[in-house]
């Protein structure tokens, strides 16, 4: 037994009494008794345990509880759960016991904390899976995640005693997941402390340099701030404001981050001053109006940059942040950012979500946060979404800054900046996203890839016939749109696969064949895949008839052709020898190395010859083509008689659908692009336009699917084109 010394017991009691003292104002006697009870339970349970540093383990839950109440502003329930947060995981105490002693709410929070507790494994996908679990618990009670953040903050503060490899791992994890999460919940103070601590362990040298630089320039900075603030202070006093002006430097991490990303020196970053004016609102006057009158006082002294006003008072950020930001020209020609906040706004800025609980009437922000959590829940509930993919998308949502846009009815929607009309469509409803064809932004017609600006009013145009396109993934940035799109594609692919599987099974029955390995090998070769899912999908896409499959399955194996053309045969490089002129070459669907000569554009059924070009590709010319005639006489050893047994692949007919903004010249631009593609021939073109949107299809002959894709990509670059996609052609003429 490793009982504590008298001195240690004194420390424990001192810490616990401090916790009680901090909580004094927000608790009554009954609640303090409960806190004592929880402390006793945790003390007994952790009695024999010590932290890596050697200190009694119980000091950790006490510290976490202190962070929860003192630094975040949470109440009794959180203090209880924080005190008990490690007992179920690390000791004999069961969750049932906690439920029995403290009730359902506390046991649910402790249970959540136990489930997410930090056994992060090194493999990224497991980390991602773990993170997903963390978020899953959020959908129950947000306190779970906040206490988890407090737990992590204390672990980071005491990281010194961990071995170096653990330090790196924990710091990496913190920077990757916990700091963004703290940011998203509006816990700015915790977020920057976490980041600074991460930097200290991940880049100790950089950290020390910045800390020393800050110390060196501290005096200069304070002098400047005083000089800047003095006239403002005088005026605010005259006007009877109760306020405080502070000029806290940027966090170490944010200085480092700016130096790294912008490749600038410490001085360049550091010289951007930010000054905060925090005021106690005068009674009977709206806070907003007071913010603006302080703004007016500041800009009477210093010239503002009109493009740098951020009004988070009229419209708070999604995480609840409220403040009025302005950038003005200070003495000595320096830009100074001035942040104007009431006490209430400041507390929200420091303590985030938890502070909202204190201020009644702040329902708007809670609903914003609820919406965010609901969105996460939707993503989590998609059973097929891949954990890592999810994590990436989720992080996207954590980091991006926001813009406010409007629905046609004037409702305000918050989206990450960089969002497109399609993101907006998915935000409104996934069905609207999946069927969107275009949008009107401020009454002007735009494509779905149109990037939205703050203040835009957006109306989405839909059509039930519309199907989501793979290219859409390139121009959505919100996690919701991506998740919904990917789910739609997976579903579509799954349906085609099932269709293909059934089709193949039916065909084999009709042909009286068994689905044995020989059959599959031939099909794998033919479709150039080894994957059953892929095979079914491809069959489902083609849906070729029995005749076609008979040929495929009766065909000699592809290897024969490869040998025939000398591909892969290293010993004999003389192509001519590989070229059996005495036989007619059958070019059918098994043949892949061919090219339709662009000089004569033969189509199936034409009388043609094959010419084996330098790159081992077969070039098919009309027998009557002047070039063919010349080749026949000059390089007859490389020319072979060709017979086309099927038209399907050699004359690959593709259909491309196009959508865009109706614009003079757009059709011309498209046909120009097509004519520039060497291996593409246009067969038909069909356009119509309505409501300023133009839609159409182009049928082209192409060599292979990859050429078709190239063409689609090039068409998608045409100005005004918003969508391009490959379409299935049902009836071959
Ligand atoms: Mn812990």
């Amino acid at each position: 037994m490793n009982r504590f010394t008298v001195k240690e017991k004194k420390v424990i009691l001192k810490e616990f009494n401090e916790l009680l003292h901090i909580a004094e104002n927000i608790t009554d006697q009954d609640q303090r008794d409960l806190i004592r009870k929880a402390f006793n339970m945790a003390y007994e349970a952790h009695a024999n345990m010590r932290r890596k540093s050697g200190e009694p383990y119980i000091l950790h839950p006490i510290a976490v509880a202190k962070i929860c109440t003192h630094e975040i502003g949470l109440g009794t329930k959180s203090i209880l759960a924080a005190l008990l947060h490690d007992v179920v995981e690390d000791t004999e105490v069961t969750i049932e016991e906690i439920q029995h002693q403290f009730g359902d709410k506390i046991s649910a929070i402790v249970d959540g904390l136990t489930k997410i507790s930090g056994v992060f494994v090194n493999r990224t996908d497991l980390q991602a899976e773990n993170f997903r679990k963390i978020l899953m618990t959020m959908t129950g009670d947000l306190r779970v995640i906040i206490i988890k953040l407090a737990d992590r903050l204390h672990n980071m503060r005491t990281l010194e005693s961990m071995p170096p490899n653990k330090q790196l791992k924990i710091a990496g994890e913190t920077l990757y997941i916990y700091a963004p999460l703290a940011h998203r919940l509006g816990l700015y103070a915790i977020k920057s402390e976490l980041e600074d601590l991460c930097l200290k362990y991940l880049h100790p040298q950089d950290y020390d340099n910045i800390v020393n630089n800050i110390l060196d320039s501290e005096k200069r900075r304070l002098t400047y701030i005083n000089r800047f603030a003095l006239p403002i202070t005088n005026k605010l006093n005259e006007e009877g404001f109760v306020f405080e002006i502070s000029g806290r430097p940027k966090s170490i991490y944010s200085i480092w981050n700016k130096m790294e990303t912008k490749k600038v020196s410490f001085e360049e970053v550091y010289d951007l001053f930010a000054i905060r004016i925090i005021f106690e609102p005068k009674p009977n006057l709206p806070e907003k109006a007071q913010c603006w009158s302080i703004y007016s006082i500041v800009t009477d002294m210093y010239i503002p940059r009109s493009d740098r006003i951020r009004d988070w008072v009229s419209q708070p950020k999604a995480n609840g942040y409220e403040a009025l930001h302005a950038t003005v020209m200070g003495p000595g020609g320096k830009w100074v950012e001035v942040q104007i906040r009431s006490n209430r706004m400041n507390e929200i800025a420091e303590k985030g979500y938890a502070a909202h609980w204190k201020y009644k009437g702040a329902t708007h922000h809670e609903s914003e946060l609820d919406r965010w959590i609901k969105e996460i829940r939707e993503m989590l509930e998609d059973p097929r979404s891949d954990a890592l993919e999810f994590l990436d998308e989720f992080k996207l949502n954590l980091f991006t800054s926001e813009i406010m846009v409007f629905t046609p009815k004037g409702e305000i929607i918050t989206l990450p900046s960089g969002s497109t009309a399609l993101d907006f469509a998915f935000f409104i409803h996934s069905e609207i996203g999946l069927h969107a064809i275009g949008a009107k932004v401020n009454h002007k017609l735009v494509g779905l890839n149109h990037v939205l600006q703050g203040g835009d009013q957006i109306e989405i145009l839909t059509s039930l016939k519309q199907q989501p396109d793979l290219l859409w993934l390139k121009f959505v940035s919100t996690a919701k749109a991506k998740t919904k799109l990917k789910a739609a594609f997976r579903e579509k692919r799954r349906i085609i696969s099932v269709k293909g599987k059934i089709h193949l099974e039916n065909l084999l029955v009709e042909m009286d064949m068994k689905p044995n390995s020989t059959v599959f090998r031939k099909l794998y070769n033919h479709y150039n895949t080894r994957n059953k899912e892929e095979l079914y999908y491809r069959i489902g896409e083609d849906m070729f008839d029995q005749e076609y499959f008979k040929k495929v399955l009766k065909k000699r194996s592809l290897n024969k052709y490869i040998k025939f053309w000398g591909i892969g045969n290293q010993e004999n490089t003389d192509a001519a020898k590989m070229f059996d002129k005495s036989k007619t070459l059958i070019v059918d669907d098994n043949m892949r190395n061919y090219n339709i000569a662009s000089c004569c554009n033969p189509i199936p059924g034409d009388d043609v010859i094959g010419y084996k070009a330098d790159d081992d590709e077969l070039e098919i010319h009309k027998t009557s083509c002047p070039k063919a005639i010349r080749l026949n006489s000059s390089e007859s050893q490389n020319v072979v008689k060709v017979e086309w047994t099927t038209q399907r692949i050699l004359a690959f007919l593709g259909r491309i659908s196009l959508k865009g903004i109706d614009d003079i010249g757009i059709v011309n631009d498209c046909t120009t692009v097509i004519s520039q593609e060497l291996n593409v021939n246009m067969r038909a073109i069909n356009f119509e336009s309505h409501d300023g949107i133009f839609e159409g299809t182009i049928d082209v002959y192409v060599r292979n699917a990859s050429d078709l894709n190239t063409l689609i990509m090039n068409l998608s670059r045409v100005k005004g084109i918003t969508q391009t996609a490959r379409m299935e052609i049902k009836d071959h003429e």
Side-chain angles (χ1 to χ4, degrees):
M1 284 282 161
N2 203 1
R3 282 289 170 185
F4 305 135
T5 63
V6 177
K7 205 175 145 201
E8 280 170 343
K9 282 184 185 156
K10 265 190 187 157
V11 173
I12 293 167
L13 268 181
K14 185 185 140 262
E15 290 294 319
F16 178 66
N17 283 328
E18 257 180 50
L19 170 67
L20 280 180
H21 181 69
I22 293 164
E24 209 163 357
N25 293 333
I26 55 158
T27 51
D28 55 29
Q29 192 53 50
D30 289 352
Q31 287 170 320
R32 281 195 291 276
D33 287 347
L34 271 175
I35 292 173
R36 232 177 231 111
K37 190 169 146 191
F39 166 73
N40 286 334
M41 187 188 231
Y43 182 85
E44 285 306 318
H46 292 297
N48 301 320
M49 296 166 66
R50 288 176 184 276
R51 305 194 81 209
K52 271 270 177 330
S53 59
E55 63 178 14
Y57 193 89
I58 184 70
L59 290 174
H60 166 66
I62 295 173
V64 174
K66 273 166 126 178
I67 293 171
C68 285
T69 173
H70 189 52
E71 295 179 46
I72 307 179
L74 297 176
T76 311
K77 287 192 183 71
S78 305
I79 296 173
L80 297 175
L83 284 171
L84 297 167
H85 84 269
D86 277 332
V87 294
V88 175
E89 163 129 42
D90 298 338
T91 78
E92 308 279 285
V93 177
T94 62
I95 197 74
E96 287 74 23
E97 236 172 302
I98 290 180
Q99 190 179 16
H100 181 71
Q101 301 273 343
F102 297 95
D104 290 344
K105 189 83 223 172
I106 303 301
S107 75
I109 299 174
V110 174
D111 194 37
L113 284 160
T114 309
K115 288 202 177 102
I116 61 173
S117 81
V119 217
F120 276 82
V121 191
N122 264 326
R123 281 177 49 208
T124 351
D125 54 334
L126 288 178
Q127 267 194 15
E129 197 48 57
N130 230 309
F131 184 55
R132 193 177 159 117
K133 275 189 212 139
I134 294 182
L135 292 167
M136 208 90 87
T137 61
M138 246 176 72
T139 62
D141 191 321
L142 201 61
R143 271 174 287 211
V144 173
I145 206 74
I146 298 177
I147 296 168
K148 184 71 199 165
L149 281 167
D151 180 34
R152 177 53 61 128
L153 180 60
H154 185 244
N155 287 335
M156 283 301 295
R157 283 176 182 169
T158 53
L159 199 58
E160 202 78 61
S161 49
M162 284 292 194
N165 63 327
K166 276 245 168 157
Q167 288 177 345
L168 290 182
K169 184 171 160 275
I170 292 170
E173 226 170 68
T174 303
L175 196 58
Y176 190 60
I177 291 172
Y178 290 95
L181 206 49
H183 174 75
R184 192 57 183 79
L185 293 174
L187 299 161
Y188 285 105
I190 288 181
K191 173 215 168 211
S192 32
E193 189 178 346
L194 284 175
E195 284 176 342
D196 284 357
L197 287 165
C198 288
L199 189 65
K200 184 176 164 189
Y201 290 97
L202 294 172
H203 303 279
Q205 194 65 53
D206 293 356
Y207 178 87
D208 288 345
N209 286 343
I210 293 172
V211 169
N212 289 334
N213 273 325
I214 290 175
L215 288 175
D216 286 350
S217 40
E218 182 71 358
K219 219 177 134 193
R220 184 164 53 88
R221 195 177 61 84
L222 286 175
T223 314
Y224 186 84
I225 287 170
N226 283 333
R227 190 172 151 209
F228 178 88
L230 191 65
I232 298 174
T233 308
N234 290 339
K235 188 75 187 168
L236 286 173
N237 280 331
E238 253 173 57
E239 304 271 329
F241 277 100
V242 179
F243 66 96
E244 196 181 285
I245 297 187
S246 68
R248 273 215 324 228
K250 286 180 191 304
S251 80
I252 301 165
Y253 180 82
S254 70
I255 293 172
W256 177 83
N257 196 30
K258 228 178 208 145
M259 287 167 68
E260 285 293 303
T261 52
K262 301 234 163 98
K263 300 280 168 230
V264 292
S265 68
F266 172 83
E267 280 70 27
E268 281 170 89
V269 180
Y270 200 67
D271 271 4
L272 303 166
F273 291 100
I275 278 155
R276 204 167 280 166
I277 302 173
I278 298 159
F279 66 98
E280 179 61 46
K282 300 177 188 171
N284 307 325
L285 257 178
E287 280 178 353
K288 182 176 166 178
Q290 297 185 55
C291 283
W292 283 104
S293 55
I294 293 173
Y295 170 83
S296 158
I297 288 168
V298 173
T299 50
D300 278 348
M301 321 273 171
Y302 303 111
I303 297 163
R305 245 179 89 168
S306 56
D307 59 330
R308 289 300 300 254
I309 297 172
R310 296 285 178 269
D311 179 5
W312 303 112
V313 176
S314 307
Q315 192 55 56
K317 286 191 192 184
N319 65 11
Y321 182 80
E322 289 176 65
L324 185 60
H325 289 194
T327 301
V328 300
M329 178 63 79
K334 280 192 207 312
W335 289 114
V336 179
E337 185 182 82
V338 183
Q339 304 175 351
I340 303 164
R341 300 173 182 170
S342 69
N343 282 336
R344 181 189 63 84
M345 295 172 188
N346 190 53
E347 195 165 347
I348 288 169
E350 301 283 320
K351 294 181 177 172
Y353 183 71
H356 288 300
W357 290 340
K358 274 180 68 178
Y359 297 98
K360 291 202 178 101
T363 44
H364 169 72
H365 320 123
E366 288 192 34
S367 66
E368 274 288 310
L369 206 66
D370 282 346
R371 180 183 63 67
W372 182 66
I373 290 167
K374 192 173 143 251
E375 226 171 86
I376 290 166
R377 190 183 299 138
E378 276 175 21
M379 285 194 279
L380 289 166
E381 279 166 2
D382 181 353
R384 276 172 302 207
S385 82
D386 167 71
L388 246 189
E389 201 174 82
F390 165 79
L391 183 56
D392 285 345
E393 281 158 20
F394 179 78
K395 278 175 64 68
L396 249 167
N397 261 14
L398 287 177
F399 279 120
T400 39
S401 55
E402 292 143 355
I403 52 165
M404 310 281 178
V405 294
F406 297 91
T407 66
K409 285 180 185 162
E411 283 169 82
I412 294 174
I413 304 283
T414 308
L415 288 173
S417 62
S419 291
T420 58
L422 191 58
D423 284 308
F424 176 87
F426 274 101
F427 182 90
I428 299 298
H429 197 284
S430 50
E431 283 303 307
I432 292 180
L434 293 168
H435 297 295
I437 53 171
K440 282 184 179 167
V441 170
N442 307 326
H443 306 294
K444 261 170 67 188
L445 212 98
V446 298
L448 291 171
N449 59 354
H450 179 84
V451 176
L452 302 175
Q453 305 295 321
D456 280 349
Q457 187 165 37
I458 303 116
E459 183 189 346
I460 299 294
L461 309 170
T462 58
S463 156
L464 277 179
K465 280 191 218 149
Q466 175 71 307
Q467 294 277 329
D469 188 286
L470 271 175
L471 286 165
W472 288 11
L473 281 174
K474 291 203 164 69
F475 52 79
V476 293
S477 57
T478 51
K480 179 169 185 182
K482 283 196 176 174
T483 314
K484 292 288 175 198
L485 273 174
K486 283 180 181 168
F489 296 138
R490 269 196 305 271
E491 183 57 16
K492 196 174 160 196
R493 210 182 154 87
R494 195 188 61 81
I495 290 169
I496 293 173
S497 272
V498 168
K499 202 172 103 186
K501 183 170 187 276
I502 294 168
H503 185 59
L504 178 66
E505 284 165 358
N506 290 341
L507 283 172
L508 290 174
V509 171
E510 278 171 35
M511 292 187 283
D512 203 17
M513 290 175 87
K514 293 251 169 333
N516 56 25
S517 58
T518 319
V519 165
F520 273 97
R521 197 172 59 240
K522 283 188 175 168
L523 289 170
Y524 281 150
N525 273 341
H526 178 68
Y527 283 101
N528 202 14
T529 176
R530 290 276 145 212
N531 175 326
K532 221 168 215 178
E533 274 306 304
E534 167 83 14
L535 178 70
Y536 291 147
Y537 173 71
R538 299 273 295 277
I539 293 173
E541 258 196 329
D542 292 345
M543 293 299 276
F544 289 139
D545 59 13
Q546 192 186 333
E547 280 306 300
Y548 178 86
F549 279 95
K550 259 187 192 155
K551 275 177 198 145
V552 172
L553 294 172
K554 282 185 184 140
K555 244 343 137 234
R556 294 148 290 183
S557 95
L558 192 66
N559 291 340
K560 199 159 187 181
Y561 286 93
I562 292 169
K563 209 171 173 190
F564 185 78
W565 289 109
I567 302 160
N569 187 330
Q570 303 296 319
E571 283 156 34
N572 199 332
T573 49
D574 186 357
K577 283 186 188 158
M578 291 292 108
F579 210 76
D580 191 346
K581 290 244 321 156
S582 63
K583 284 180 189 155
T584 295
L585 174 66
I586 312 286
V587 172
D588 63 9
D589 296 333
N590 278 337
M591 274 294 306
R592 286 172 187 276
N593 298 317
Y594 57 75
N595 218 332
I596 299 170
S598 52
C599 45
C600 52
N601 293 314
I603 58 163
D606 284 346
D607 201 2
V608 291
I609 56 116
Y611 165 67
K612 188 167 170 290
D614 292 341
D615 55 5
D616 274 326
E617 287 229 349
L618 184 70
E619 210 173 56
I620 295 188
H621 292 263
K622 284 181 183 168
T623 313
S624 59
C625 168
K627 193 179 171 194
I629 294 170
R630 187 169 53 75
L631 288 168
N632 235 334
S633 56
S634 62
E635 291 184 59
S636 67
Q637 74 279 12
N638 289 337
V639 174
V640 69
K641 178 81 184 142
V642 169
E643 191 191 320
W644 291 11
T645 59
T646 161
Q647 312 180 359
R648 284 195 179 93
I649 289 182
L650 267 187
F652 196 99
L653 185 57
R655 181 169 292 170
I656 299 171
S657 74
L658 292 165
K659 282 193 189 122
I661 312 305
D662 196 14
D663 189 12
I664 305 160
I666 197 163
V667 175
N668 189 37
D669 290 346
C670 290
T671 49
T672 307
V673 166
I674 295 167
S675 67
Q676 279 162 356
E677 291 298 319
L678 288 180
N679 296 307
V680 170
N681 283 310
M682 191 158 72
R683 177 178 175 268
I685 185 162
N686 177 9
F687 281 108
E688 59 183 67
S689 72
H690 52 85
D691 293 341
I693 290 188
F694 105 115
E695 266 183 85
T697 59
I698 301 175
D699 289 0
V700 284
Y701 285 115
V702 289
R703 209 165 46 130
N704 54 35
S706 119
D707 284 352
L708 189 60
N709 288 338
T710 311
L711 179 62
I712 289 173
M713 282 312 295
N714 290 339
L715 282 170
S716 72
R717 291 194 192 106
V718 171
K719 191 169 165 283
I721 292 285
T722 55
Q723 268 182 61
T724 48
R726 185 174 159 188
M727 280 175 82
E728 222 175 301
I729 299 180
K730 290 274 151 50
D731 48 332
H732 295 260
E733 287 118 274

